């Protein structure tokens, strides 16, 4: 065991005295040392219950003969960080989480790990750490929130965001806005739609790094506590069999994740996180693979914000395994991939039935014959951009209109809320990419304002920033190269005609190559917005959105 290097032999008497100081008995010190990475905090609703999950995991580890030791991981609430400078600090925590987990694990000689994440960057950050360190690891999330209810209808976080735009447009009263405020998020847990947190927790199941139900069992269900105990026990089996993350997170496993991503209609942020996780596992995911997979994978689920269903509905319909089994009727999964259950994907999903064909549509009656996410290219985004196709109104799948250009989110919001955006416009928000932001802010507020003001079927938005999983509409993000490095999005001017064809995977500004070349001669890079601290270091090392916004010391 790795921990023998710090526990055994006369030379380690000083180490053992420190374990004694922790209250560990001699018997505990002889057992495998299992790190429990707890993301508990009291500022993120998705994490406020993780103390209970952590205690359940500890019990599971102890019952199976291990010695659990808890250490923390940070997490940002994207909802609270949204719309102000705090959002610059969201994506960047993914690397802080991975790095700090590596530091704690390697410094203390843990034999294996149980990761307990829940929200947006916390899940991929810990998956990146697991792939990087490659010691036996299992995941169990804090679980999704139950949906709220307003006017007799189930709602999720995006409803509250869109209500702000509706209130500003005079479509709802202050009393109605307050009702959304009070009833949209009724429990702890990650927000109840197929937003980024739930997307990544579901894809953790698909990758094989979490047990069945990891992505869908509601946070407030006692079943979630039982799942945590099982995860604690199962890590001991993984340690015994020496099953490591890179045995599980293979090229084929990532292809499975992309496949189910398309079927579920996950957040566009998965197109940032899956490449970054794969990179840590020594695997390259080119986003062109996403379109190849999307072309043959039907979109089976429309969970909020794309449709009326929520995570609790997906759970009752059979969960992620039921979706996988449905998709595999077309033979689209690699079923021989190993998982943390100790069994293959095929063995895991064999008997998992679709219990509600309205929530999980059968493969012969999909929402669409192609997947929920599309990667677009063109002279605006030669290195690609991403859209959640399943959440776009049919009439906006093909759109052409004049550009309304803004160099930051705040300026765009003023224009939207000030009735300066009109039917047919294409809102362009640039200098919000990984370097330019810095931090690649999510643009939930502008997209929600567009939807709330009734412009969702007539106005598109493109950005080198990114979108919350709560975003819906013709919202195209991750435009690469970004404006800060001189990408073509930096050359667009007000009034330029932008052509978008999502079904054909194309996005272009109607300008000649010669005109773009002339504008490039005039372009000058902007002064960095932040010159000190972590964000400045991040901006210096981060790569483009199309590469997963990974850090490169050679930047």
């Amino acid at each position: 065991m790795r921990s023998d290097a710090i526990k055994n032999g006369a030379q380690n008497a000083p180490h053992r005295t420190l374990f004694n100081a922790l209250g560990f008995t001699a018997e505990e010190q002889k057992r495998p040392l299992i790190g429990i990475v707890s993301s508990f905090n009291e500022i993120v609703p998705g994490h406020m219950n993780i103390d209970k999950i952590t205690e359940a995991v500890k019990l599971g580890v102890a019952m199976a003969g291990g010695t659990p030791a808890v250490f923390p991981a940070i997490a940002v609430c994207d909802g609270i960080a949204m719309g102000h400078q705090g959002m610059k600090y969201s994506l960047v925590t993914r690397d802080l989480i991975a790095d700090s987990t590596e530091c704690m694990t390697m410094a203390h000689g843990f034999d294996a790990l149980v990761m307990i994440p829940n929200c947006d960057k916390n899940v991929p950050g810990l998956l990146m750490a697991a792939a990087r360190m490659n010691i036996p690891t299992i995941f169990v999330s804090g679980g999704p929130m139950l949906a709220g209810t307003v006017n007799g209808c189930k709602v999720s976080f995006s409803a509250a965001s869109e209500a702000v735009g509706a209130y500003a447009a005079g479509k709802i009263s202050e009393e109605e806005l307050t009702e959304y405020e009070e009833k949209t998020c009724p429990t702890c847990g990650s927000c109840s739609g197929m937003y980024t947190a739930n997307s990544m927790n579901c894809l953790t199941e698909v990758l094989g790094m979490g047990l069945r139900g990891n992505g869908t069992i509601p946070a407030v269900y006692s079943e979630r506590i039982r799942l945590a105990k099982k995860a604690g026990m199962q890590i001991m089996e993984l340690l015994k069999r020496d099953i490591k993350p890179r045995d599980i997170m293979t090229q084929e496993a990532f292809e499975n994740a992309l496949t189910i991503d398309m079927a579920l209609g996950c957040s566009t942020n998965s197109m940032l996180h899956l490449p970054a996780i794969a990179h840590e596992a020594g695997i390259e995911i080119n986003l062109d693979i996403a379109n190849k997979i999307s072309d043959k994978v039907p979109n089976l689920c429309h969970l909020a914000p794309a449709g009326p269903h929520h995570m609790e509905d997906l759970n009752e319909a059979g969960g992620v395994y039921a979706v996988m089994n449905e998709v595999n009727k077309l033979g689209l999964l690699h079923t021989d991939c190993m998982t943390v259950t100790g069994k293959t994907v095929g063995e895991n999903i064999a008997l998992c039935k679709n219990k509600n064909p309205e929530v999980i549509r059968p493969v012969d009656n999909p929402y669409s014959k192609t997947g929920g996410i599309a990667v677009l290219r063109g002279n605006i985004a030669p290195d690609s951009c991403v859209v959640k196709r399943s959440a776009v109104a049919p009439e906006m799948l093909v759109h052409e209109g004049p550009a309304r250009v803004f160099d930051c989110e705040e300026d765009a919001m003023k224009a939207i809320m000030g009735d300066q955006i009109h039917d047919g416009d294409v809102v362009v928000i640039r200098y919000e990419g990984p370097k330019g932001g810095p931090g690649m802010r999510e643009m939930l507020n502008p997209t929600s304002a567009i939807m709330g003001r009734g412009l969702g079927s007539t106005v598109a938005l493109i950005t080198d920033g990114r979108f919350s999983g709560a975003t819906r509409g013709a919202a195209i993000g991750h435009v690469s190269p970004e404006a800060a490095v001189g990408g073509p999005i930096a050359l667009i001017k007000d009034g330029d005609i932008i052509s978008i064809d999502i079904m054909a995977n194309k996005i272009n500004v109607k300008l000649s190559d010669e005109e773009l070349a002339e504008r490039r001669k005039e372009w000058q890079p902007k002064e960095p917005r932040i010159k000190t601290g972590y964000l400045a270091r991040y901006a210096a090392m981060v790569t483009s959105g199309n590469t997963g916004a990974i850090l490169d010391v050679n930047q």
Side-chain angles (χ1 to χ4, degrees), residues 175-361:
E175 290 76 16
E176 290 173 301
L177 178 62
T178 299
E179 186 172 11
Y180 278 100
E181 175 186 326
E182 293 180 347
K183 295 184 177 180
T184 295
C185 295
T187 72
C188 63
S190 49
C191 296
S192 58
M194 188 53 79
Y195 306 147
T196 304
N198 293 326
S199 295
M200 293 310 302
N201 282 321
C202 287
L203 294 181
T204 297
E205 274 190 67
V206 183
L207 281 170
M209 291 298 294
L211 299 176
R212 183 181 183 183
N214 177 71
T216 60
I217 298 171
V220 295
Y221 283 13
S222 297
E223 186 181 0
R224 174 67 54 181
I225 300 297
R226 298 198 299 273
L227 181 73
K229 291 177 182 176
K230 290 177 182 177
M233 291 186 280
Q234 185 62 19
I235 191 59
M236 299 306 296
E237 180 67 16
L238 294 174
L239 180 60
K240 177 182 176 182
R241 293 176 58 180
D242 196 31
I243 298 175
K244 302 186 185 76
R246 292 193 188 186
D247 300 323
I248 295 169
M249 289 193 281
T250 61
Q251 176 75 40
E252 292 75 18
F254 282 102
E255 290 176 8
N256 284 348
L258 285 167
T259 297
I260 301 304
D261 188 323
M262 300 303 169
L264 284 171
C266 290
S267 163
T268 52
N269 280 314
S270 64
M271 294 296 104
L272 277 178
H273 300 323
L274 287 175
I277 298 161
H279 175 76
E280 295 288 354
I283 295 165
E284 181 181 349
I285 293 182
N286 185 307
L287 288 187
D288 288 332
I289 298 172
N291 277 344
K292 291 177 183 177
I293 290 174
S294 183
D295 285 345
K296 58 186 178 181
V297 178
N299 178 225
L300 306 182
C301 300
H302 269 193
L303 288 96
H309 304 127
H310 296 79
M311 296 307 296
E312 62 208 65
D313 303 313
L314 179 59
N315 188 61
E316 295 304 317
V320 174
Y321 278 15
V323 177
M324 294 174 73
N325 200 30
E326 191 67 47
V327 167
N328 202 46
K329 291 176 182 178
L330 300 175
L332 296 177
L333 292 180
H334 301 285
T335 55
D336 56 352
C337 293
M338 179 53 63
T339 73
V340 292
T341 66
K343 300 177 181 179
T344 65
V345 166
E347 291 173 309
N348 286 342
I349 68 174
L351 302 176
C352 298
K353 296 179 180 179
N354 179 358
K355 300 176 183 178
N356 189 336
E358 300 217 351
V359 176
I360 306 171
R361 287 200 174 183

Side-chain angles (χ1 to χ4, degrees), residues 35-222:
I36 314 296
V37 189
S38 172
S39 303
F40 169 75
N41 64 52
E42 295 182 339
I43 192 60
V44 183
H47 291 238
M48 61 183 285
N49 66 316
I50 283 180
D51 56 341
K52 297 178 178 61
I53 303 296
T54 301
E55 289 303 313
V57 168
K58 288 174 65 179
L59 279 171
V61 168
M63 284 190 290
T67 296
V70 178
F71 65 89
I74 63 169
V76 163
C77 177
D78 276 22
I80 295 174
M82 195 71 65
H84 61 99
Q85 293 300 303
M87 181 46 69
K88 294 180 184 291
Y89 288 88
S90 172
L91 179 61
V92 304
T93 64
R94 190 182 69 180
D95 295 277
L96 280 175
I97 290 162
D99 293 349
S100 59
T101 302
E102 175 193 358
C103 291
M104 288 294 290
T105 300
M106 303 311 290
H108 298 102
F110 288 109
D111 296 302
L113 297 169
V114 183
M115 307 287 204
I116 312 177
N118 211 25
C119 287
D120 295 25
K121 311 311 165 300
N122 185 243
V123 184
L126 290 177
L127 282 165
M128 288 165 65
R132 183 186 301 173
M133 293 181 293
N134 201 35
I135 64 173
T137 304
I138 193 169
F139 278 67
V140 55
S141 76
M145 185 184 289
L146 294 178
T149 303
V150 176
N151 297 326
C153 297
K154 284 186 176 182
V155 295
S156 57
F157 178 72
S158 54
S161 298
E162 291 178 15
V164 174
Y167 172 69
K171 296 187 174 184
I172 64 172
S173 67
E174 185 175 356
E175 290 76 16
E176 290 173 301
L177 178 62
T178 299
E179 186 172 11
Y180 278 100
E181 175 186 326
E182 293 180 347
K183 295 184 177 180
T184 295
C185 295
T187 72
C188 63
S190 49
C191 296
S192 58
M194 188 53 79
Y195 306 147
T196 304
N198 293 326
S199 295
M200 293 310 302
N201 282 321
C202 287
L203 294 181
T204 297
E205 274 190 67
V206 183
L207 281 170
M209 291 298 294
L211 299 176
R212 183 181 183 183
N214 177 71
T216 60
I217 298 171
V220 295
Y221 283 13
S222 297

